[in-house]
Amino acid sequence: MTETEPLRAAMIEAAERQLASSSDHEIATRAVCEAVGVSQPVLYRLFGDKRGLLDAVADHGYERYAALKAAQERTGDPVADLHAGWDGHMAFAQANPALYQLMFTPRPWSHSTARDRVTDLLAAALTRCAAAGALKLEPRTAARLILAANIGTALDHIARPALFADPALSHRMRDAVFSHVLTEPPARQDADPLRAAALRLRAQLQLGGTEALEPVETALLQRWLERIARP
C-alpha cells in the first residue's frame, strides 16, 4: 500500500457519503476535500478531476458488489444460483441507489470498469450453467442480455419506485429474459445437439481445463468449439 492509499480511500468514502445524501445524486469536490481535511489540489493530484473521483467511487462500488456476490451461497444448482443472483443485484440497487446509478448509468466520459467487471462475474456464473447443459447461448452473450434487463429494471425501480414496488415485476422480467438464454438440461430435442454439446464442453474446459492436451491444443479445441457453438 502506498502512503497515499489511506487518503485516497478516505476521499472516495467521503464522496460516496455525499453522493448518497445529495438530493440530485451529485457531489461537490470542495465539500469532499473539507470532509477529509485537505485542499482541492490534493484531489486533483490523486484523481485528476471530479470525473476521476466519480470513476473511483464507481469502481469502489464494484468491490462492494463483488464482495456481496462472493458471500452468496453457491449451491449445486447453477440455475438456482443465477435466480438468486438476479435478486441480489436488485437488492444492491435498492440499498445503494445513488451509487448504483453512478455505476450503471451510461456516462460517455467515464473510464470506470465497474460494469465490465460485473459482466465478467455474471459470465462466470453462466459458464457454470453452460457446463450443466442449461445454457442456449455463449456465456458472455447471455451475460450481456441478462445484465441489460437487470440494470434496466433496477434503474426504473430507483427512478419510479411507486410503479415498480411489486417484486413480482422484477421476477417477470427475470423469467422472460432467462427463458431466452436458459434451457432444461439436457437440451430440447428440437435444438442442435452438436451445438449444445460444444457449448457444454467449452464451458467445462473453461471451468476445469484438462491435462490430456497441451495448452496450444486446448486453445485450438476451444477455438473449434467456439465456431461450432455459434448460432
Side-chain angles (χ1 to χ4, degrees):
M1 178 185 293
T2 67
E3 59 183 33
T4 62
E5 281 302 304
L7 178 57
R8 180 182 171 87
M11 296 185 77
I12 290 172
E13 290 174 4
E16 186 177 332
R17 287 195 300 270
Q18 187 181 139
L19 189 73
S21 62
S22 170
S23 60
D24 59 359
H25 294 171
E26 261 293 347
I27 66 168
T29 56
R30 183 183 298 276
V32 171
C33 292
E34 289 176 351
V36 182
V38 298
S39 61
Q40 284 190 282
V42 174
L43 183 149
Y44 300 137
R45 176 167 56 84
L46 292 177
F47 300 99
D49 55 16
K50 178 180 176 179
R51 293 175 175 180
L53 175 59
L54 288 172
D55 278 347
V57 173
D59 287 337
H60 179 64
Y62 165 79
E63 299 299 337
R64 289 174 51 189
Y65 180 94
L68 289 173
K69 288 294 183 183
Q72 178 183 317
E73 181 182 1
R74 178 182 285 195
T75 72
D77 184 346
V79 173
D81 292 345
L82 193 67
H83 280 74
W86 175 286
D87 292 342
H89 186 105
M90 292 296 298
F92 179 86
Q94 292 171 31
N96 307 277
L99 177 61
Y100 185 90
Q101 287 179 306
L102 180 67
M103 290 172 63
F104 293 106
T105 299
R107 293 175 290 136
W109 46 262
S110 174
H111 296 289
S112 170
T113 61
R115 180 165 179 156
D116 290 340
R117 294 159 78 188
V118 170
T119 303
D120 291 342
L121 287 178
L122 182 54
L126 286 160
T127 297
R128 291 182 62 222
C129 294
L135 196 64
K136 297 178 184 177
L137 306 176
E138 191 274 332
R140 293 203 69 83
T141 300
R144 287 192 290 270
L145 290 172
I146 292 173
L147 193 59
N150 213 171
I151 290 172
T153 303
L155 289 175
D156 274 343
H157 187 278
I158 291 170
R160 295 178 288 179
L163 294 178
F164 291 87
D166 183 359
L169 292 175
S170 167
H171 289 166
R172 289 193 187 103
M173 175 62 83
R174 179 197 66 194
D175 294 345
V177 70
F178 279 14
S179 71
H180 286 282
V181 302
L182 297 175
T183 187
E184 290 292 329
R188 299 192 313 266
Q189 290 184 353
D190 60 347
D192 181 344
L194 181 59
R195 180 171 174 268
L199 275 170
R200 185 171 185 177
L201 179 55
R202 184 165 181 249
Q204 289 172 335
L205 282 171
Q206 289 173 339
L207 287 175
T210 177
E211 296 180 357
L213 300 175
E214 297 294 330
V216 65
E217 294 172 325
T218 301
L220 182 58
L221 177 57
Q222 287 276 18
R223 175 58 178 157
W224 286 339
L225 292 171
E226 179 188 1
R227 291 170 62 183
I228 294 171
R230 285 177 185 166

